[in-house]
Amino acid sequence: MATLTRRSALAALLAAPVVVRATTPAEAFDAAAAREPWRLPLKGVDDTTGSRDCAALSLSGRWPEALRGRFYRNGPALYERGGQRYRHWFDGDGMVQQFSITGPAGAPVVAHRGRLVGTAKLRAEQAAGRFLVSAFGTAIPHDGRTPLQGPDSFNTANTNAIEHAGRVLALWEGGSAHALDPVDLQTRGPVTWGEGLAQMPFSAHPKVDPQGQLWNIGTAGRRLVVWHIDAQGELVSARAGELPLAHAMVHDMAVTANHIVVPIPPVTLHFDRLLSGGEPADALRFHADQPLRVLVMHKADITQRRIFELPPQMVFHVGNAFEATEGAIELSFIGSPGHHFLSQTAVALMNGGAVTDPEPSRTQRVRLHLASGRTELQAFDDDAEFPRMDPRRVGSAARWLLTTASWRPGQGTGFMHGIQLRDLTTGRDTRFDYGEGRVAEEHILVPKPGRAGELDAWVLGTHFDSRRRVTVLSVFEAVALADGPIAQAALPYALPYGFHGNFTPSA
Ligand SMILES: [Fe+2]
């Protein structure tokens, strides 16, 4: 046998094919999260950590004795399966979080339970050990063996959670609501509101008026459905209408005493482009030459409608709407000049890429004159999201709008570091900054029992503390937001960043 000289060994080495394994999206994410811990909640959960229980969170401060009930949140949570990582933040399977606040005065107990929503999609993919169907921003080649049976085959139930008429509804934009048991968060299944209505889209931002009446929309292509569910959870009506822009990304809606108000941004979703190999951004188109439309329909007859036109912008969320004066509606909402967050930031959050979001999302209010079609728009100089208002005033005049907000430059997270309570009548706001390394999630206003004033309320919400690597629930006095939390409950673990939630007081 010939002995390899050092020279021939080197020559053999150089001649050998060089195998360089590309970094996977999951590895790229993990490396970025190791450098920047604020990204850690975006690792998500797996089938094991998608069930979380903590009987007693670590409490601090003074928990108000009248604040007792269940705070729900929902958001995309499971991002990786079978070595594959989703490409868009909105793709993840939904996980509902429930914070239960119980106990006598002076001895409060805050417990947490989190459960992945048991959708048909989740169950099938758990069994298969891999993703089987495409998500909002990730094309998954379909194997042909898994039957596709309509929108709910793709339903991740990942956007909002609200307790209504004795059940928790886990909501998504394109298919059925899923009902969960409020006691143990077990998934009962998709909700069919009436005969012939299976899998009709029931969007994630229903509005429940003070009488418990629930209003919602659903969209698909050019179709629009207007839902009315009564306080007992029974269908009153489901009526069909038409969208002025086909395939528009319609996310939220508002109600007034007499009207349904639906912002329709000039952003369209073209899923076929994703399926034919495009990036998530290729599937989304911002039509800068088209207005932000606001569709106003009469509650009693949705064919009585008017479409208002505002400067082109992306709108995810509304604050409130109400009949302001004779023949005019006032609407508050958050809008950004383009769809950068949707098409770029939400992708970078998944792959560990640099997060740049040069487009602030501004709090705005507009007066819509029904007879003339005239609009009066006012935009505030802020960068806000997740608008919430006093639930006792849904559909009627409300002065205060609570949002997450960012005002410190150079955050570079795509998320916000604080919360803001804005007086829409004067434009003034008060703020609280969670501080460096902390990410604020949606906060809500929780009315104080037996009190009626708009700020007779607590502010309740979660944030991720990247230094302790845990999620923390905070309570503020709404009238003294800037003073900071009066009480906090810290989990021993981090939850995935969520979207939306709601509070149900104890009976
Ligand atoms: Fe939303």
Side-chain angles (χ1 to χ4, degrees):
M1 184 190 282
T3 305
L4 279 176
T5 63
R6 202 169 149 222
R7 182 184 294 265
S8 65
L10 187 62
L13 194 65
L14 288 172
V18 177
V19 179
V20 177
R21 193 171 66 85
T23 305
T24 67
E27 289 168 342
F29 172 82
D30 291 345
R35 291 191 306 270
E36 300 172 321
W38 65 265
R39 295 183 190 263
L40 287 168
L42 295 162
K43 179 66 177 172
V45 300
D46 58 28
D47 290 320
T48 307
T49 54
S51 285
R52 287 282 204 186
D53 292 275
C54 176
L57 280 70
S58 170
L59 304 189
S60 59
R62 182 180 54 79
W63 278 81
E65 63 180 83
L67 178 61
R68 296 291 183 271
R70 300 171 293 283
F71 177 44
Y72 297 96
R73 286 183 47 72
N74 192 359
L78 190 149
Y79 300 115
E80 296 179 17
R81 194 182 280 288
Q84 187 165 18
R85 182 168 169 84
Y86 278 142
R87 301 169 74 186
H88 196 285
W89 183 34
F90 294 5
D91 289 349
D93 294 289
M95 182 176 176
V96 171
Q97 319 294 344
Q98 181 196 56
F99 295 88
S100 300
I101 309 170
T102 58
V109 176
V110 181
H112 170 257
R113 170 172 286 139
R115 292 289 182 273
L116 284 166
V117 184
T119 59
K121 171 188 179 296
L122 183 83
R123 288 204 207 94
E125 292 179 343
Q126 281 174 329
R130 61 191 172 86
F131 292 133
L132 296 172
V133 296
S134 296
F136 175 79
T138 306
I140 307 285
H142 187 244
D143 63 8
R145 284 177 295 166
T146 317
L148 295 179
Q149 295 169 327
D152 284 347
S153 294
F154 305 87
N155 193 335
T156 54
N158 71 1
T159 312
N160 200 353
I162 183 168
E163 194 174 314
H164 185 256
R167 57 187 179 179
V168 183
L169 300 177
L171 301 162
W172 186 60
E173 192 154 299
S176 302
H178 278 74
L180 278 64
D181 191 315
V183 174
D184 57 11
L185 290 190
Q186 286 301 303
T187 302
R188 294 175 181 167
V191 177
T192 299
W193 297 100
E195 202 178 327
L197 298 175
Q199 302 199 48
M200 291 280 272
F202 189 88
S203 287
H205 285 282
K207 296 296 175 287
V208 182
D209 69 20
Q211 287 72 46
Q213 302 289 310
L214 185 152
W215 297 85
N216 199 5
I217 55 160
T219 64
R222 196 173 265 282
R223 284 200 308 163
L224 168 78
V225 184
V226 176
W227 298 94
H228 178 192
I229 312 294
D230 69 18
Q232 286 70 48
E234 299 294 329
L235 178 74
V236 178
S237 61
R239 290 168 287 174
E242 189 172 287
L243 278 182
L245 177 64
H247 306 292
M249 285 214 47
V250 181
H251 185 69
D252 200 351
M253 50 86 74
V255 288
T256 70
N258 302 317
H259 294 92
I260 295 151
V261 183
V262 186
I264 301 164
V267 176
T268 50
L269 177 63
H270 305 273
F271 205 60
D272 51 328
R273 293 181 198 170
L274 193 70
L275 295 178
S276 56
E279 297 294 317
D282 298 329
L284 294 156
R285 179 172 284 183
F286 183 77
H287 306 267
D289 58 338
Q290 292 206 38
L292 162 65
R293 297 174 176 88
V294 181
L295 170 63
V296 175
M297 296 170 281
H298 202 281
K299 273 179 172 174
D301 175 8
I302 65 167
T303 64
Q304 279 187 49
R305 53 188 254 171
R306 173 140 212 160
I307 297 168
F308 296 85
E309 296 191 349
L310 296 172
Q313 54 184 311
M314 177 61 201
V315 172
F316 282 110
H317 298 123
V318 305
N320 186 35
F322 59 93
E323 313 281 338
T325 54
E326 190 67 29
I329 287 172
E330 184 159 320
L331 168 72
S332 56
F333 64 96
I334 308 282
S336 57
H339 70 326
H340 187 91
F341 184 91
L342 183 65
S343 64
Q344 308 290 331
T345 306
V347 175
L349 291 175
M350 282 293 99
N351 65 24
V355 175
T356 55
D357 193 345
E359 297 173 339
S361 44
R362 300 213 185 285
T363 305
Q364 297 169 60
R365 61 189 284 214
V366 63
R367 195 158 280 212
L368 308 166
H369 294 272
L370 289 164
S372 64
R374 191 165 62 89
T375 63
E376 299 170 80
L377 179 67
Q378 178 186 14
F380 298 100
D381 183 18
D382 63 5
D383 189 5
E385 248 304 347
F386 297 130
R388 298 301 296 261
M389 41 89 63
D390 179 356
R392 295 164 295 194
R393 286 169 169 75
V394 168
S396 59
R399 178 173 167 183
W400 298 92
L401 193 66
L402 176 70
T403 64
T404 57
S406 245
W407 55 91
R408 272 195 278 112
Q411 285 301 293
T413 68
F415 294 110
M416 302 201 168
H417 58 81
I419 52 175
Q420 159 183 297
L421 190 57
R422 184 176 291 283
D423 181 343
L424 292 168
T425 60
T426 66
R428 283 198 286 271
D429 64 72
T430 58
R431 294 167 168 178
F432 175 75
D433 187 346
Y434 275 107
E436 206 66 47
R438 296 175 181 91
V439 172
E441 302 187 270
E442 180 190 71
H443 284 52
I444 63 169
L445 284 160
V446 177
K448 294 186 176 181
R451 306 276 290 276
E454 194 171 339
L455 291 188
D456 284 335
W458 298 288
V459 168
L460 188 63
T462 49
H463 74 276
F464 173 63
D465 182 341
S466 69
R467 299 175 185 192
R468 296 156 65 195
R469 305 194 171 190
V470 297
T471 300
V472 180
L473 176 67
S474 298
V475 186
F476 301 74
E477 288 283 354
V479 289
L481 191 79
D483 293 349
I486 56 169
Q488 290 189 312
L491 277 166
Y493 40 78
L495 299 175
Y497 290 130
F499 289 137
H500 304 289
N502 295 279
F503 184 82
T504 300
S506 296

